[in-house]
Amino acid sequence: MYQKIFRFRVSLMGSEPEIWREIDVPDHYNFWELHIAIQDAMGWLDYHLHEFSPRKSGPTKGMRIGLPESEHDESIIAGWEFTIKKYFTALGNTIDYVYDFGDDWHHEIILVGMFLTSLDSDYPQCIAGEMACPPEDCGGLPGFQNLVEILDDENHKEHDDTVYWLKNHVKKYWPYKCDAFSPQKVKFSDPYQRWLNAFNQEG
């Protein structure tokens, strides 16, 4: 018996050098599960809202995919109600993914591979990537670029405050190294448990 796997390239748009990941996920995943895999592979903490914005209108009729404000919200498709294989039907299919509407981290998600593997294989997996994820709540790309410049200059007037912030962040980012990333260190969490936590449900 086999399972079908989708391979995605996740790129943080506007980042220079480019911050990117390649992840493999089962094709039966829904968009909530893909969201969790992206969060874990990139290094985000899933503290903020997110949404997928389709680049092809057919499968979703142009509607965005993410978190409805209520069960009666018809302006957005609930991620857990829409499978990724309904949208990603051919190599090169692309969707936009925005995380944190304040900092506006805009990612491009491209389907770059499809293959079969045994049911015994464990997925999702992060197979490649480069550069560390920006610290959560650092102010988007402009704030991140400013943070990097401050860290590179020990004489900068904000250097000590920035280091203190990184050390005392909930993730404890210090020491922060921009080029530090290892696919082998990525740990994927249980999407269902994350859903329960997000909506204050009991498992």
Side-chain angles (χ1 to χ4, degrees):
M1 297 292 291
Y2 296 91
Q3 59 178 323
K4 189 173 184 179
I5 302 299
F6 283 177
R7 176 165 294 172
F8 292 103
R9 193 179 197 278
V10 180
S11 175
L12 182 59
M13 298 182 69
S15 58
E16 182 61 44
E18 182 187 15
I19 302 170
W20 64 274
R21 309 285 186 260
E22 277 195 5
I23 58 174
D24 292 344
V25 305
D27 78 326
H28 62 72
Y29 259 27
N30 58 46
F31 273 89
W32 171 262
E33 292 168 312
L34 178 60
H35 154 69
I36 297 302
I38 292 170
Q39 288 280 311
D40 290 342
M42 284 296 299
W44 299 121
L45 302 179
D46 202 13
Y47 281 178
H48 303 281
L49 295 175
H50 73 277
E51 70 176 24
F52 294 90
S53 297
R55 292 191 183 180
K56 58 176 188 174
S57 61
T60 67
K61 299 180 180 178
M63 293 179 65
R64 295 165 292 118
I65 306 168
L67 293 170
E69 292 185 7
S70 71
E71 60 182 322
H72 305 296
D73 183 1
E74 298 181 354
S75 66
I76 190 167
I77 299 172
W80 50 89
E81 294 180 353
F82 199 81
T83 59
I84 61 175
K85 61 186 174 184
K86 286 184 179 179
Y87 181 88
F88 294 101
T89 56
L91 295 180
N93 284 167
T94 305
I95 200 166
D96 293 300
Y97 170 79
V98 175
Y99 170 62
D100 185 350
F101 301 156
D103 280 5
D104 194 35
W105 301 109
H106 189 175
H107 307 69
E108 181 178 68
I109 316 298
I110 306 175
L111 180 63
V112 296
M114 294 185 284
F115 59 93
L116 296 177
T117 189
S118 70
L119 282 174
D120 296 334
S121 302
D122 189 25
Y123 288 90
Q125 295 179 6
C126 181
I127 61 167
E130 290 184 343
M131 309 303 291
C133 185
E136 195 92 27
D137 297 320
C138 69
L141 282 174
F144 177 54
Q145 292 165 357
N146 185 53
L147 180 145
V148 172
E149 292 175 3
I150 291 172
L151 292 180
D152 285 342
D153 180 5
E154 292 187 358
N155 294 318
H156 194 286
K157 63 181 181 179
E158 296 180 28
H159 184 272
D160 290 347
D161 288 342
T162 301
V163 171
Y164 179 85
W165 181 75
L166 291 169
K167 285 181 176 180
N168 289 276
H169 195 285
V170 66
K171 191 175 178 178
K172 295 181 173 58
Y173 284 102
W174 188 257
Y176 182 78
K177 298 180 179 179
C178 298
D179 59 352
F181 176 73
S182 171
Q184 292 76 25
K185 292 183 178 180
V186 172
K187 303 296 182 184
F188 289 98
S189 50
D190 179 357
Y192 179 61
Q193 187 59 53
R194 291 277 286 275
W195 186 89
L196 293 175
N197 294 342
F199 294 96
N200 298 314
Q201 303 291 319
E202 294 184 2

